[in-house]
Amino acid sequence: MKQRREQVRYRGARIALMLVLALSLLGIAGCDATTPENAGTSAQNSNTELKNEVNTSQLPDSSFLYDASIADLAKATPFMNGQTVQVTGEVVGDRIIDEYDNSFCWITLQDTGGSYSQIAVFIPKSLTSSIDTYGAYGRQGSTLQVRGIFNLACKDHDGVTCLHATNASKIAPGKAIDTPYNANRLSVGAVALVLGLAMVFAHHKLREREL
């Protein structure tokens, strides 16, 4: 009888030990479950993944766009030849229709950064409709942003340095410039004119004496 009790007690201890081990395993598994802290990390990872998603609707583009100034193009190296560039400048001079293709024309863009560098632009005539003013004395031309292919020595136009425009948009309209009267400049011109007439008169008198 005593031996039977010991066997029952031994079995009970084994069952209790198995229950303790089972509860311990459940506790470890519970620690791996998502806690509020882990939930925040998961949300953060989710947001990061959303930011790094690939836009499947975006078209592939292997070209490079250089946002350059006209002054930079005036001293460009052969590396820039054939590159797609974007420049901003004032339209000056006149629009000249191309003699071989009436749907294209030539305009001149002048740097607005103070260097007064210029570049000839070969552009579809339809893209010049937004130009309201061509810069000259007493007026400021429209400011255009032009994108196109830069040619350091264009083989289609006798080696001239030019920009073949593919897109153009007006940044600012042209306007009239109020040029104030400068009496100092007028006086300098008047003095130069008087001196010139005096020299002509003196030369004429000297010729008469020689004769």
Side-chain angles (χ1 to χ4, degrees), residues 203-211:
H203 177 71
H204 181 69
K205 287 297 182 182
L206 290 173
R207 290 291 303 272
E208 285 182 350
R209 290 180 181 179
E210 291 177 357
L211 296 174

Side-chain angles (χ1 to χ4, degrees), residues 27-202:
I28 294 174
C31 292
D32 292 336
T34 302
T35 62
E37 182 179 356
N38 292 334
T41 304
S42 299
Q44 183 178 0
N45 292 337
S46 178
N47 291 335
T48 303
E49 290 175 358
L50 289 176
K51 291 180 181 179
N52 293 331
E53 283 185 347
V54 176
N55 185 1
T56 56
S57 64
Q58 184 176 358
L59 297 177
D61 186 5
S62 59
S63 63
F64 293 93
L65 175 63
Y66 292 93
D67 198 1
S69 68
I70 297 175
D72 292 335
L73 296 183
K75 53 185 178 182
T77 62
F79 170 76
M80 293 295 295
N81 186 53
Q83 302 290 350
T84 301
V85 299
Q86 181 171 271
V87 296
T88 301
E90 177 191 353
V91 185
V92 296
D94 296 310
R95 185 181 71 172
I96 302 174
I97 305 300
D98 185 66
E99 59 180 332
Y100 299 109
D101 188 347
N102 292 335
S103 63
F104 284 84
C105 61
W106 291 89
I107 62 173
T108 302
L109 281 185
Q110 180 172 281
D111 185 57
T112 55
S115 69
Y116 299 103
S117 300
Q118 296 181 350
I119 187 169
V121 180
F122 184 67
I123 184 172
K125 192 164 60 174
S126 59
L127 294 180
T128 63
S129 59
S130 63
I131 302 174
D132 53 54
T133 308
Y134 288 83
Y137 179 79
R139 62 176 185 265
Q140 179 178 323
S142 304
T143 302
L144 290 189
Q145 184 181 71
V146 178
R147 182 185 306 171
I149 306 299
F150 174 69
N151 296 279
L152 189 60
C154 184
K155 62 181 180 180
D156 297 328
H157 298 106
D158 300 326
V160 68
T161 298
C162 63
L163 180 64
H164 285 202
T166 57
N167 188 30
S169 57
K170 184 167 66 175
I171 303 299
K175 60 182 179 180
I177 301 175
D178 184 16
T179 305
Y181 173 74
N182 192 330
N184 293 330
R185 292 184 178 179
L186 180 61
S187 61
V188 171
V191 170
L193 178 61
V194 171
L195 289 175
L197 291 175
M199 293 178 67
V200 170
F201 180 76

Side-chain angles (χ1 to χ4, degrees), residues 19-35:
L19 288 174
V20 170
L21 291 175
L23 290 175
S24 299
L25 292 174
L26 288 175
I28 294 174
C31 292
D32 292 336
T34 302
T35 62

